Amino acid sequence: MPLSLKVCILLLITCAPVSSWAGCALGSGLERLETYCLVNAINGKRISSETAKFLDSRLQNEGYDSNFSLSAPSPRKPFKIRITPTFSYSQNINGGNPSKNLTLGNLTFVGDPSLVRKEGLLSGARLNINGRFIYGEGRYLKYNLYAGYEYNVEHSLGVNTSGLSTCSVNHISNWWYFDVCGNANRTRKEITDQSGENLSFIFSKMLTGNSKNHHKVRVGVNRQFSANYIQNQLVMGLDTIHSNNSNSEITLTVGESVQNQLATKLALSGKLRLHVYGKQVTFHAGYNKSNGGKILGFDRYDKTLNYSVSYPVTPYLF
């Protein structure tokens, strides 16, 4: 850890209770940006020993073991297991086709009624196993293994999801980071069985704007692996903790053309998290434009718009 940060924290400890982390959107999932916000929140202020211990614990979790003699070293569990009940609505439970006919020029194709998509409510549970291995100051490998199952009573259909994600986080200097991340996922429905993998290399920088909003700027490349092709993508993003304690994420992806394959050309996604009655509500929206390849001699293209709202009704089962 930079010496200036160590000295800063040690000199600011007093017995005056100050809620220094109010407004840092804790629990947003933007862990490093939250830590950056906390460090900036105490800059030039007197804080309580409880606040110092809280920040000390977070820094230890990111690999900073100097400990400042503020708290006992936090025991690190190799992994955590969580089971979460899930409730969702899907417009395509079975992985089917649109209900309308397919028109190509003067030709019209009528689909098989048994292959038309079905929609409805899903309920189930999701298992997450996650953890991290720290191998240096500000450097660690985190991972998440998950599996889920949801069921629709009306159509007697189930959806299986599973995946593994890993990310090597590396603090370079002065809040600059370089991350190498990999992901593999699979979704199985009645008609479709989709899987994919990707490997990304991302540089990021933490900074503070004029309005006291804290930002994480991301830029890098992603290599997407699918059953039929491999695609390189440029990824740019902006994560923000706003001064009103809300937070947001915006990600833009631009993909290269893939010969004779329908692949992502442009994707834009965003998340907004707000606190409502003490709980975090997440709004998500995404747009994807794909092109490439042909069907019966006609150019193929696809535009997808998705959106969702989530609210934590129940806690983790354990």
Side-chain angles (χ1 to χ4, degrees):
M1 181 185 301
L3 179 61
S4 58
L5 179 56
K6 298 179 184 179
V7 175
C8 173
I9 294 177
L10 286 170
L11 290 179
L12 289 174
I13 299 174
T14 72
C15 294
V18 177
S19 182
S20 301
W21 56 79
C24 285
L26 301 184
S28 66
L30 306 174
E31 179 183 6
R32 283 173 285 169
L33 187 56
E34 290 177 7
T35 301
Y36 174 78
C37 176
L38 288 167
V39 172
N40 278 271
I42 68 172
N43 186 24
K45 298 179 181 179
R46 291 187 291 179
I47 62 175
S48 66
S49 58
E50 288 76 15
T51 298
K53 289 178 181 179
F54 175 78
L55 179 57
D56 187 32
S57 176
R58 287 187 65 100
L59 292 173
Q60 287 183 47
N61 197 46
E62 295 186 30
Y64 300 109
D65 289 325
S66 56
N67 192 240
F68 310 127
S69 298
L70 299 176
S71 60
S74 302
R76 297 192 181 107
K77 298 180 180 179
F79 60 86
K80 296 179 181 178
I81 300 178
R82 287 175 173 174
I83 297 180
T84 310
T86 59
F87 303 92
S88 63
Y89 181 86
S90 173
Q91 293 181 316
N92 196 346
I93 301 172
N94 59 338
N97 301 316
S99 57
K100 62 182 181 180
N101 297 330
L102 174 64
T103 301
L104 297 173
N106 296 324
L107 302 175
T108 300
F109 299 86
V110 180
D112 185 341
S114 66
L115 300 180
V116 173
R117 66 187 180 190
K118 299 177 182 179
E119 60 183 77
L121 293 171
L122 292 163
S123 61
R126 177 175 169 131
L127 168 69
N128 281 275
I129 302 175
N130 59 71
R132 66 180 58 192
F133 299 98
I134 296 173
Y135 53 86
E137 286 200 333
R139 299 185 176 187
Y140 52 91
L141 176 71
K142 60 180 182 178
Y143 64 90
N144 181 52
L145 175 67
Y146 68 89
Y149 180 77
E150 292 182 301
Y151 186 76
N152 174 266
V153 177
E154 179 183 359
H155 302 292
S156 299
L157 293 172
V159 178
N160 289 277
T161 58
S162 58
L164 170 67
S165 62
T166 62
C167 197
S168 173
V169 176
N170 300 279
H171 180 233
I172 302 173
S173 177
N174 194 28
W175 299 103
W176 276 96
Y177 287 86
F178 176 63
D179 299 346
V180 180
C181 303
N183 177 69
N185 59 80
R186 183 181 182 185
T187 301
R188 289 176 290 170
K189 300 182 178 181
E190 180 188 36
I191 299 174
T192 59
D193 188 346
Q194 297 178 321
S195 61
E197 298 83 32
N198 73 282
L199 180 64
S200 63
F201 304 86
I202 305 294
F203 284 96
S204 61
K205 167 67 173 177
M206 312 292 175
L207 51 89
T208 302
N210 294 331
S211 57
K212 299 301 181 181
N213 295 334
H214 302 291
H215 307 284
K216 176 183 176 183
V217 181
R218 299 177 276 116
V219 62
V221 294
N222 180 59
R223 192 164 176 83
Q224 185 73 36
F225 303 89
S226 73
N228 300 317
Y229 65 87
I230 298 176
Q231 183 191 38
N232 295 315
Q233 301 172 338
L234 173 66
V235 181
M236 295 172 285
L238 177 66
D239 305 335
T240 302
I241 292 179
H242 302 273
S243 55
N244 63 357
N245 202 33
S246 64
N247 64 90
S248 60
E249 299 177 51
I250 299 175
T251 303
L252 174 66
T253 302
V254 180
E256 66 177 357
S257 298
V258 180
Q259 187 175 9
N260 300 322
Q261 295 292 336
L262 184 67
T264 298
K265 184 66 175 179
L266 177 70
L268 179 64
S269 65
K271 288 183 180 181
L272 175 64
R273 301 181 184 91
L274 303 173
H275 285 84
V276 178
Y277 297 112
K279 293 187 177 182
Q280 185 169 258
V281 181
T282 302
F283 300 87
H284 172 267
Y287 170 80
N288 187 292
K289 177 182 179 181
S290 302
N291 60 14
K294 294 180 180 293
I295 178 171
L296 297 178
F298 292 89
D299 292 332
R300 299 180 62 187
Y301 71 91
D302 185 30
K303 294 181 181 179
T304 304
L305 179 64
N306 61 78
Y307 51 89
S308 66
V309 179
S310 63
Y311 182 79
V313 178
T314 61
Y316 295 112
L317 295 181
F318 71 84

